[in-house]
Amino acid sequence: MSLAGIKSIEDFELKDQRVFIRLDLNVPIKNGVITDDTRIRAALPTVKYALDHKAKIILCSHLGRPKNSEDRKDFSLEPVADRLSELLDAEVQLVEEPGSDTPKALLSGIHRRQLILLENIRFDPGEEKNSMELANKIASYVDIYINDAFGASHRAHATIVALPSIIKKKGLGFLMKKEIEMLDKVLIEPAKPFCALMGGSKVSDKIGVIEHLLEKIDTFVIGGAMAYTFLAAQNISVGSSKIEKDKISLAKELLGRLDARKKKILLPVDHVIVERLEKDAPSKICDVAIPAGFMGVDIGPKTIELFSQELKKAGTVFWNGPMGVFEMPPFSKGSFKIAEVLADSTAVTVVGGGDSAAAVNASGFANKMTHISTGGGASLEYLQGDKLPGIEALRPPQRGPQK
Ligand code: 3PG
């Protein structure tokens, strides 16, 4: 996607300006403790840049999908404010009501090592409705708008779309720029052979990417739960494995199309299977057909070898979706071994966000990947050729014909 005409944070004089930075700080939190702060760390370069350039900073993010006011405690950004404060060595003040006069008042007396973080913006129903009313209230205390929330840029929400539509000075942060550059490496001229490594549970989530990149991809390596739907499409027994029954015919059609284009397709040839999905359930290995009463929870050793040999030959690998139920340690071997192979490879390795990013982080090989996207849905939408509303909203208005 061309970013031509879109400004970046470096294009603005930030000193003493009220700079609103939309981030995606939607991190996993258990009992008030952040279990993975990758997204917070990824946001730091832009926030530090604004701090160093003496801006008056307002940070904003959503967290999860709160439904009503009872969810306020569970979905509060308070732990995120604390973490940011530690990482930035600055005071992060959490402001409850983004649409109130409080932010404006605080900004007038803000000091250099102090930032404002608006409380979870999804507590305001206007956010998801892309409300102009909410955007106008926020705009009353903002001079410059920066979007660095790649992971949320596929959402047409008020602080992603409506707000930049009414602020003249607007641009991208460093994370957004990096994400687009890295995903363009896959999208535009991938080093060959180009291998798409797909996993996770839903065929339907990946279909758009497969279709959009069909001509460019040389090899499709399919593992994880979605592989069972593809095996079922070939009339191979999958036992009680999780499959998308309504996607079997789509999988069959897709296999036919890939075959007609002489694309290489690798599916699991063996599996780790259990009778019930529990971490201490006894498991065994079976060949390609899964017996009745058993479900697949990871790829088997022959499949790990088969996939590894293919991945070693690749010039580019795009990985989206884990190879098994990696959250349960006995079933993490497939995902972790594949991460290790990619870590040792010289290929450009780009990992789509969400579960695949979590699997790579848990494997300990995250720092060996070329890029791990902070956006799950956003990276998939980008790679399937969709325009991201959050980027489109940063383009300067089109000039009409001259009269
Ligand atoms: C994500 O986790 O993918 C982003 O933060 C977007 O969250 P959402 O799917 O709830 O809009």
Side-chain angles (χ1 to χ4, degrees), residues 233-287:
Q234 295 176 315
N235 296 322
I236 294 171
S237 135
V238 293
S240 54
S241 303
K242 253 191 169 182
I243 61 166
E244 284 179 285
K245 283 209 176 91
D246 58 335
K247 295 291 177 306
I248 292 179
S249 56
L250 182 66
K252 199 178 274 178
E253 187 206 314
L254 207 58
L255 287 172
R257 283 169 62 194
L258 297 178
D259 208 37
R261 285 171 174 76
K262 307 252 176 305
K263 303 287 180 184
K264 196 165 178 183
I265 308 155
L266 296 186
L267 284 162
V269 290
D270 62 349
H271 317 272
V272 178
I273 54 170
V274 292
E275 280 177 290
R276 47 198 164 79
L277 187 55
E278 284 163 19
K279 68 175 184 317
D280 43 12
S283 66
K284 57 182 187 175
I285 308 291
C286 73
D287 278 338

Side-chain angles (χ1 to χ4, degrees), residues 24-26 39 62 64-65 122 151-152 154-155 157 374-378:
D24 182 350
L25 303 175
N26 184 18
R39 279 180 164 163
H62 67 283
R65 295 176 178 172
R122 287 191 183 167
H154 57 318
R155 304 288 184 218
H157 291 175
T374 53

Side-chain angles (χ1 to χ4, degrees), residues 7 20 46 75 82 137 139 166 199 211 251 304 329 357 367 372-373:
K7 293 212 156 92
F20 179 99
T46 297
F75 290 87
D82 293 345
K137 280 185 193 159
I166 49 177
E211 293 198 329
I304 293 179
N367 60 354
I372 301 178
S373 178

Side-chain angles (χ1 to χ4, degrees), residues 110-152:
I110 203 162
H111 61 76
R112 288 286 178 235
R113 296 222 64 84
Q114 192 182 24
L115 305 88
I116 288 178
L117 171 64
L118 301 180
E119 182 52 290
N120 189 349
I121 196 68
R122 287 191 183 167
F123 288 160
D124 190 312
E127 170 67 355
E128 290 178 66
K129 290 187 187 135
N130 197 18
S131 145
M132 271 327 256
E133 195 188 332
L134 174 61
N136 275 313
K137 280 185 193 159
I138 296 177
S140 72
Y141 56 84
V142 170
D143 301 310
I144 298 173
Y145 171 92
I146 298 297
N147 186 347
D148 212 21
F150 177 74

Side-chain angles (χ1 to χ4, degrees), residues 69-338:
S69 54
E70 279 157 36
D71 280 349
R72 277 190 93 95
K73 195 167 177 301
D74 289 346
F75 290 87
S76 167
L77 280 172
E78 209 176 318
V80 175
D82 293 345
R83 189 82 190 102
L84 268 172
S85 170
E86 273 166 40
L87 292 167
L88 292 166
D89 191 21
E91 185 190 330
V92 177
Q93 174 128 24
L94 195 62
V95 171
E96 288 291 332
E97 298 294 336
S100 68
D101 290 335
T102 314
K104 197 185 271 178
L106 280 171
L107 283 162
S108 65
I110 203 162
H111 61 76
R112 288 286 178 235
R113 296 222 64 84
Q114 192 182 24
L115 305 88
I116 288 178
L117 171 64
L118 301 180
E119 182 52 290
N120 189 349
I121 196 68
R122 287 191 183 167
F123 288 160
D124 190 312
E127 170 67 355
E128 290 178 66
K129 290 187 187 135
N130 197 18
S131 145
M132 271 327 256
E133 195 188 332
L134 174 61
N136 275 313
K137 280 185 193 159
I138 296 177
S140 72
Y141 56 84
V142 170
D143 301 310
I144 298 173
Y145 171 92
I146 298 297
N147 186 347
D148 212 21
F150 177 74
S153 284
H154 57 318
R155 304 288 184 218
H157 291 175
T159 57
I160 305 277
V161 173
L163 183 57
S165 79
I166 49 177
I167 293 186
K168 240 169 116 196
K169 291 184 179 171
K170 54 188 172 184
L172 296 167
F174 297 116
L175 176 64
M176 273 287 244
K177 250 175 129 175
K178 182 171 150 210
E179 290 273 9
I180 302 295
E181 274 165 23
M182 297 314 291
L183 293 175
D184 278 351
K185 270 192 199 269
V186 169
L187 206 53
I188 298 168
E189 259 183 70
K192 297 289 215 166
F194 179 12
C195 177
L197 173 61
M198 302 284 183
S201 55
K202 287 193 178 162
V203 179
S204 40
D205 281 356
K206 317 284 174 353
I207 213 83
V209 179
I210 296 178
E211 293 198 329
H212 193 67
L213 295 177
L214 201 59
E215 299 305 332
K216 290 199 172 126
I217 293 172
D218 303 295
T219 312
F220 289 83
V221 176
I222 302 174
M226 67 184 269
Y228 309 128
T229 305
F230 279 93
L231 292 174
Q234 295 176 315
N235 296 322
I236 294 171
S237 135
V238 293
S240 54
S241 303
K242 253 191 169 182
I243 61 166
E244 284 179 285
K245 283 209 176 91
D246 58 335
K247 295 291 177 306
I248 292 179
S249 56
L250 182 66
K252 199 178 274 178
E253 187 206 314
L254 207 58
L255 287 172
R257 283 169 62 194
L258 297 178
D259 208 37
R261 285 171 174 76
K262 307 252 176 305
K263 303 287 180 184
K264 196 165 178 183
I265 308 155
L266 296 186
L267 284 162
V269 290
D270 62 349
H271 317 272
V272 178
I273 54 170
V274 292
E275 280 177 290
R276 47 198 164 79
L277 187 55
E278 284 163 19
K279 68 175 184 317
D280 43 12
S283 66
K284 57 182 187 175
I285 308 291
C286 73
D287 278 338
V288 67
I290 300 176
F294 285 86
M295 65 178 87
V297 284
D298 196 6
I299 51 175
K302 287 188 210 154
T303 307
I304 293 179
E305 184 55 26
L306 176 75
F307 287 7
S308 301
Q309 290 312 324
E310 195 59 40
L311 293 167
K312 282 179 187 163
K313 292 186 254 169
T316 305
V317 179
F318 173 65
W319 183 8
N320 193 288
M323 296 291 105
V325 190
F326 76 95
E327 302 87 341
M328 298 186 180
F331 317 131
S332 61
K333 195 166 172 191
S335 301
F336 289 4
K337 273 279 170 201
I338 294 297

